[in-house]
Amino acid sequence: MSDETKNGTSRRGFLRQAALTGAGIVAGATTARASEPDPKITEVQEWATAFGDPVDAAPYGTPIRFESHVVRRNVEWLTESPVSSINFTPIHALEGTITPQGCAFERHHSGAIELSKQDYRLMINGLVEKPLVFTFEDLLRFPRTINTAFLECAANGGMEWGGAQLEGCQFTQGMIHNMEYTGVPLRLLLEEAGVKPEGKWIYAEGADASSNGRSIPIEKALDDVMVAFFANGEALRKEHGYPVRLVVPGWEGNMWIKWLRRIGVYDKAVESREETSKYTDLMPDGRARKWTWTMDTKSVITSPSPQAPIRHGKGPLVLTGLAWSGNGKIKRVDVSLDGGVNWQEARISGDIKSKALTRFHLDIDWDGSEMLLQSRAIDETGYVQPTKDALREIRGLNNVYHNNGIQTWWVKADGEVENVEVA
Amino acid sequence: TPALAEKLGLGRPALPEEISAWDVAILPDGTGLRPGSGDVATGDEVFAEKCATCHGEFAEGLDAWPVLAGGEGTLTDRRPVKTIGSYWPYLSTVWDYVHRSMPFGSAQTVTVDETYAITAFLLYSNGLVDEDFTLSNENFKDIVLPNADGFYVDDRPETEYPKFRVEPCMKDCGPAVKVTKRAAELKVTPTDADGRPAGTIPAYDEASAAEPAAP
């Protein structure tokens, strides 16, 4: 076939395809019978005749360019400096439960530092028999464990305490990621140093300028806290703490110390800046809760959502979302189409892991009418995700952190979706 | 497991100089404080040189940078002003955080005596000491911040979990609801070129045409 013929075919094909597309939008895009053959099928496409990329084109691949919307995003006005700031995971566009590391959210207090394995040191000191220094090579020789866990920023949804503010679950629920970690139980490192009986707290701090020191009770430290160096199969990303971070299953993200450089053992909590000034939750009487470590049961419908409008018209519609609990496994997720008046049980897809993201689906036949979508997670302790109003009734409006209230999406007749509150 | 009952013999003892270099944490009871002192006037000078470009001459905060003084009595206001004076429980945290993580962008450049002086100045800025006050490791524990009793340990297990651990309603759970608040009206979300929320999934019949060619 000559180039001339091929080009001619392609041009005709493009025009015909454009006409079909226009017709589809007008008709509302329900099940269609083809009025004429689809050139994507009847004409030989470029990729069906020529070569694609060779295997040496991308030694470490990145997503195809058509997925360029699936990236971290930040909201500049939320913080005064981009090195002590937050960005958001594109959860509106993801499925399953594992977060791709390259678009998993970041929260730094003095930027993402570069720390090589050669320069890395971990110190254990304080109320121990023998204070120790480990190199990265030392850490690789300890027995390993694997755990999949969500890391949710304590402030996830915090901007929504006072009302519906940001448009899209990436922004309202996207300070979260979920990875499969491999590392060493912190217990083994502490045993190597020998914790004295009066050692009731550990204080973990990072190698960065902010240090991000946090106190953790010894019971938790000896239970399921991990010193991790692999996430989703490979080394941690720089921005996630390379080469070593703390994994603190079920607990607020601030405690997952990155670029971990020291574990101090003390008889009391340090009451550092990150557990006094920050990560304390102001209550209506002017006092504040401290040490609100656990992230309570929560869920969100990721599609449809403001960044994932319905464009395919009436008929079959997949509702997909995420549920999670810092207190254990998700037991059930209910979905409401009418703003919480009536509920039906959604389907849990895939494995349910403790203190990890869990995927749910509900397949409905959309008749094109408006909906007020909500999801309500229930965990194995029987805790039922509360409404925002139920939380505010107890906590008021200035808690800042720990907003696990039920999210409402207003699906309009044209398929556009808004972040709203209802009453 | 039996194999783990014995130590593996990994790592090596930390030397005193190494512990001293890295363990600079101060606890509320003064544990970790090093000998030294600084007065308000010295603190004012150091603050003017190293801190005031962000936090203001009087620690009142410039632009959107954190306010370090003021806000007393605002904790039940609609918009509370949470500062060292109005909110922080312990002076140890001030000393520790300034010494270890400030100034922003050039942390760990203030000496022990400078940190005492800055801390004294911050106490003065918050109206908690006189202008001739000198802070040292000796009198450090005498200082009690106004909101020292303002915090309590997480009580969700008592105040929330029993309320929320009940079988939820499934049918006819109340009257029909209406939309009361819309994020769309605030218009504070980053947007794509077409005005939609940034990162909106492209329509499938537009996607390939809309994307720029790979470089």
Side-chain angles (χ1 to χ4, degrees):
Chain A
M1 197 177 272
S2 72
D3 282 353
E4 197 187 334
T5 312
K6 196 175 138 198
N7 290 342
T9 309
S10 294
R11 198 178 310 119
R12 270 205 312 281
F14 173 76
L15 293 171
R16 204 177 303 152
Q17 178 62 21
L20 280 173
T21 300
I25 288 168
V26 172
T30 50
T31 313
R33 185 183 297 273
S35 55
E36 59 179 302
D38 183 349
K40 293 291 177 197
I41 298 170
T42 58
E43 294 171 8
V44 175
Q45 301 294 311
E46 176 69 14
W47 52 85
T49 178
F51 291 133
D53 291 337
V55 295
D56 55 359
Y60 198 111
T62 51
I64 193 166
R65 60 192 170 96
F66 311 127
E67 297 296 311
S68 64
H69 55 288
V70 189
V71 292
R72 297 187 277 236
R73 292 186 185 273
N74 72 333
V75 177
E76 282 178 21
W77 58 265
L78 284 175
T79 53
E80 68 275 14
S81 162
V83 293
S84 181
S85 194
I86 190 84
N87 62 26
F88 300 89
T89 304
I91 56 170
H92 65 293
L94 301 177
E95 255 292 350
T97 58
I98 293 295
T99 313
Q101 290 196 83
C103 65
F105 89 103
E106 302 167 67
R107 197 319 183 212
H108 318 299
H109 293 79
S110 51
I113 60 165
E114 184 174 275
L115 178 58
S116 73
K117 290 174 180 175
Q118 290 72 32
D119 290 339
Y120 181 78
R121 301 288 186 276
L122 175 64
M123 180 184 290
I124 297 186
N125 79 307
L127 297 170
V128 293
E129 302 295 342
K130 186 166 69 169
L132 292 172
V133 171
F134 298 106
T135 62
F136 187 81
E137 193 172 34
D138 293 332
L139 296 183
L140 285 177
R141 298 171 68 188
F142 278 90
R144 293 179 201 174
T145 184
I146 293 181
N147 194 11
T148 301
F150 72 81
L151 184 171
E152 182 182 20
C153 180
N156 198 22
M159 308 79 73
E160 304 288 308
W161 266 119
Q165 184 155 222
L166 288 162
E167 200 70 294
C169 65
Q170 176 168 20
F171 304 108
T172 55
Q173 278 87 9
M175 296 180 196
I176 194 163
H177 58 61
N178 191 68
M179 303 190 193
E180 184 205 68
Y181 295 96
T182 302
V184 174
L186 177 57
R187 177 175 56 81
L188 297 187
L189 301 183
L190 290 171
E191 282 173 2
E192 203 68 13
V195 175
K196 293 179 177 173
E198 60 269 37
K200 299 297 183 199
W201 292 81
I202 67 150
Y203 181 70
E205 61 183 0
D208 61 317
S210 85
S211 127
N212 199 48
R214 287 289 313 248
S215 306
I216 298 174
I218 194 76
E219 294 78 13
K220 177 72 173 178
L222 297 175
D223 178 18
D224 59 358
V225 176
M226 185 200 290
V227 173
F229 8 94
F230 295 91
N232 292 349
E234 60 182 352
L236 296 165
R237 294 289 170 96
K238 175 178 86 170
E239 62 271 29
H240 297 140
Y242 182 95
V244 176
R245 86 169 312 160
L246 219 53
V247 166
V248 191
W251 287 19
E252 59 187 15
N254 178 258
M255 308 178 80
W256 294 50
I257 311 303
K258 297 187 285 190
W259 314 292
L260 180 71
R261 85 167 190 187
R262 189 176 72 88
I263 302 282
V265 181
Y266 301 93
D267 58 347
K268 295 188 230 25
V270 170
E271 309 247 19
S272 68
R273 188 251 195 182
E274 304 291 326
E275 53 198 351
T276 54
S277 171
K278 308 297 176 187
Y279 308 98
T280 51
D281 317 344
L282 191 58
M283 299 291 282
D285 66 356
R287 295 190 305 149
R289 288 174 176 161
K290 67 177 180 180
W291 303 348
T292 47
W293 299 314
T294 303
M295 301 306 292
D296 286 330
T297 312
K298 189 167 173 179
S299 67
V300 63
I301 294 172
T302 54
S303 178
S305 65
Q307 298 158 289
I310 306 168
R311 292 176 165 121
H312 55 54
K314 301 173 186 177
L317 172 66
V318 172
L319 306 184
T320 181
L322 291 166
W324 63 97
S325 169
N327 278 311
K329 289 182 177 178
I330 289 297
K331 188 173 72 182
R332 192 176 102 201
V333 181
D334 299 331
V335 169
S336 174
L337 311 181
D338 58 9
V341 179
N342 294 286
W343 297 86
Q344 52 191 311
E345 193 174 335
R347 190 174 81 251
I348 304 261
S349 303
D351 296 336
I352 304 177
K353 294 177 176 164
S354 185
K355 305 173 188 178
L357 290 190
T358 303
R359 177 62 61 174
F360 68 87
H361 290 111
L362 182 70
D363 304 293
I364 67 168
D365 182 6
W366 187 43
D367 64 4
S369 55
E370 290 192 2
M371 296 187 286
L372 293 167
L373 297 180
Q374 297 183 339
S375 62
R376 179 175 71 187
I378 304 173
D379 74 12
E380 63 181 338
T381 73
Y383 179 103
V384 181
Q385 183 185 359
T387 61
K388 282 210 248 178
D389 282 337
L391 288 171
R392 289 179 192 138
E393 202 174 301
I394 299 167
R395 304 190 202 167
L397 289 167
N398 287 316
N399 226 226
V400 179
Y401 307 105
H402 292 281
N403 178 4
N404 65 319
I406 289 173
Q407 171 72 53
T408 309
W409 302 131
W410 178 20
V411 178
K412 295 183 279 185
D414 61 2
E416 297 294 333
V417 182
E418 283 191 21
N419 173 17
V420 297
E421 289 198 7
V422 294
Chain B
T1 51
L4 302 182
E6 287 178 24
K7 294 186 182 185
L8 295 167
L10 293 168
R12 51 115 180 136
L15 300 175
E17 298 89 335
E18 293 171 331
I19 294 171
S20 173
W22 273 12
D23 184 353
V24 291
I26 315 297
L27 276 63
D29 65 4
T31 301
L33 277 176
R34 296 170 190 218
S37 66
D39 58 25
V40 171
T42 309
D44 193 356
E45 284 171 31
V46 180
F47 200 86
E49 184 196 335
K50 299 189 172 182
C51 318
T53 52
C54 294
H55 296 294
E57 231 178 296
F58 308 102
E60 79 283 15
L62 296 182
D63 302 324
W65 295 103
V67 181
L68 305 183
E72 293 84 357
T74 65
L75 297 183
T76 54
D77 291 0
R78 175 62 193 95
R79 304 204 179 278
V81 180
K82 299 192 285 183
T83 70
I84 292 168
S86 71
Y87 188 67
W88 290 32
Y90 304 117
L91 194 63
S92 55
T93 313
V94 179
W95 201 102
D96 171 280
Y97 182 67
V98 169
H99 182 238
R100 187 162 25 77
S101 298
M102 287 287 144
F104 197 48
S106 52
Q108 302 194 75
T109 57
V110 284
T111 65
V112 166
D113 283 339
E114 282 176 337
T115 308
Y116 279 109
I118 292 170
T119 306
F121 174 71
L122 289 171
L123 286 170
Y124 174 73
S125 303
N126 278 285
L128 299 173
V129 297
D130 295 330
E131 59 188 325
D132 59 355
F133 177 73
T134 300
L135 182 69
S136 73
N137 58 303
E138 302 286 334
N139 66 359
F140 196 91
K141 283 203 298 183
D142 300 341
I143 304 290
V144 179
L145 294 185
N147 201 41
D149 296 325
F151 298 81
Y152 56 98
V153 176
D154 185 6
D155 66 348
R156 288 175 293 172
E158 295 82 49
T159 56
E160 297 189 5
Y161 293 175
K163 276 196 175 74
F164 299 147
R165 280 179 183 150
V166 293
E167 197 54 40
C169 174
M170 293 296 285
K171 284 231 164 296
D172 305 321
C173 302
V177 295
K178 284 186 182 144
V179 169
T180 54
K181 291 207 167 101
R182 296 173 58 198
E185 288 175 348
L186 295 181
K187 301 191 195 316
V188 293
T189 307
T191 54
D192 287 335
D194 61 3
R196 291 179 178 278
T200 293
I201 295 173
Y204 294 103
D205 47 12
E206 294 164 4
S208 47
E211 293 309 316

